[in-house]
Amino acid sequence: MDLFLPRARGAAAGRARGGGPAPPGPAAGPGRPRYRVPAQPAAGEADRRRDAGAAAEGAARGEHTHGEPVLPRPRPVVQRSSVRGQVLAALRTALVTGDLRPGEVYSGPVLAERFGVSATPVREAMQQLAQEGAVEVVPNRGFRVVERGPRELAELAEVRALIEVPVMLRLARTVPPERWAGLRPLAEATVRAASSGCRATYAEADRAFHSAVLALAGNQQLVGVAEELHRRAQWPLVGGNAPGGGTRAELIADAHEHTALLDALIAGDLDVVRALVGEHFNGAQ
């Protein structure tokens, strides 16, 4: 076996003194490995070898080097999260519309076939809904949609009122009219959504308007808590009935409360604001 070793100190020292090379080392014999000193590269060759070694090292780390074919980019790692998010949004819509009925058990594979995806993102989305309290895990079967009654809906409306009403009244005293006017498109979007008669579309527009109002307080924790309570208040009751009614006429009436509230906020009429906010939350929307 050949072992490549650096040149001996004696040889370097001899050249420095102008002498000849140092005597050769001991000859190889039986049982003794042969030592061979590699020839020293010429000027500039060391740099080229160093660059080549660095390129090889970079290639070993997965870095692109010149002279090698460009590999196709891998599929984005966020693709699975994107699928899970789309499934979660679809499941939330199914909850609001009553397609997922309270008390019923749904399995991951059956829902996956319905959405045309694998079972994994469905199970992950259902686990998220379980954390939010919309469904509960049934071992070896799937997920059961939680059954809720009018009392729970009333409790949610009370908690929402305790959180949102004081904030809205405080904002009514401090936020200038032009900032309230900037929310006009969101208020009008709730009216259009209500006119469509689709409860899921209206639920999304309704949450967007309320979140935009509360965001003016500059407290993201407040917005997050209020959104979660709002979403829970929109889940169907026992029997699949929509909370607070849910007919097209009722949705339109609720949506017009948004525009009336916005008009009062722009005008700075605190008495009207207080009355409208109270009526709005008593309707559990």
Side-chain angles (χ1 to χ4, degrees):
M1 177 177 65
D2 292 339
L3 299 180
F4 294 85
L5 298 178
R7 186 181 296 273
R9 291 172 178 253
R15 287 195 305 273
R17 292 192 301 266
R32 182 188 299 274
R34 284 187 303 119
Y35 295 93
R36 179 164 57 88
V37 178
Q40 297 299 304
E45 182 67 19
D47 293 336
R48 287 192 290 272
R49 290 190 180 183
R50 183 178 64 250
D51 293 341
E57 182 181 357
R61 293 197 304 266
E63 300 173 357
H64 174 67
T65 58
H66 297 288
E68 68 178 24
V70 179
L71 298 178
R73 290 183 177 272
R75 299 171 65 181
V77 296
V78 299
Q79 184 174 6
R80 178 173 167 180
S81 297
S82 177
V83 172
R84 181 182 61 182
Q86 294 177 40
V87 171
L88 179 59
L91 290 173
R92 283 174 170 164
T93 298
L95 280 171
V96 174
T97 59
D99 289 342
L100 295 180
R101 301 181 65 84
E104 295 290 331
V105 177
Y106 299 89
S107 69
V110 171
L111 290 174
E113 183 177 357
R114 172 180 175 180
F115 292 125
V117 298
S118 67
T120 299
V122 173
R123 292 193 183 99
E124 292 173 345
M126 293 297 276
Q127 289 288 352
Q128 176 63 37
L129 291 177
Q131 295 178 9
E132 296 175 1
V135 301
E136 56 188 7
V137 179
V138 181
N140 302 321
R141 293 186 60 192
F143 302 86
R144 178 186 289 113
V145 179
V146 173
E147 298 180 277
R148 304 184 313 128
R151 178 174 180 176
E152 182 178 349
L153 182 62
E155 291 174 350
L156 286 169
E158 180 180 4
V159 175
R160 286 189 62 205
L162 290 172
I163 293 176
E164 295 191 40
V165 171
V167 175
M168 287 187 180
L169 294 177
R170 174 167 59 85
L171 292 174
R173 301 184 183 94
T174 58
V175 175
E178 58 270 17
R179 295 196 66 185
W180 290 121
L183 302 184
R184 178 74 66 184
L186 292 176
E188 294 174 348
T190 65
V191 177
R192 291 194 300 271
S195 299
S196 72
C198 176
R199 183 166 183 83
T201 302
Y202 177 72
E204 184 176 351
D206 187 34
R207 283 197 311 272
F209 175 78
H210 280 263
S211 296
V213 171
L214 296 178
L216 295 176
N219 188 331
Q220 291 301 314
Q221 299 300 318
L222 168 68
V223 174
V225 171
E227 282 185 347
E228 180 179 353
L229 291 171
H230 199 167
R231 181 175 287 111
R232 292 178 60 186
Q234 294 170 332
W235 296 335
L237 303 178
V238 174
N241 297 322
T247 67
R248 182 173 178 273
E250 289 166 333
L251 294 180
I252 292 176
D254 187 77
H256 279 299
E257 291 179 3
H258 293 149
T259 57
L261 173 62
L262 198 58
D263 290 338
L265 289 167
I266 293 173
D269 193 334
L270 295 182
D271 291 336
V272 175
V273 170
R274 188 177 292 105
L276 288 173
V277 169
E279 181 179 354
H280 195 66
F281 281 101
N282 285 336
Q285 295 295 339

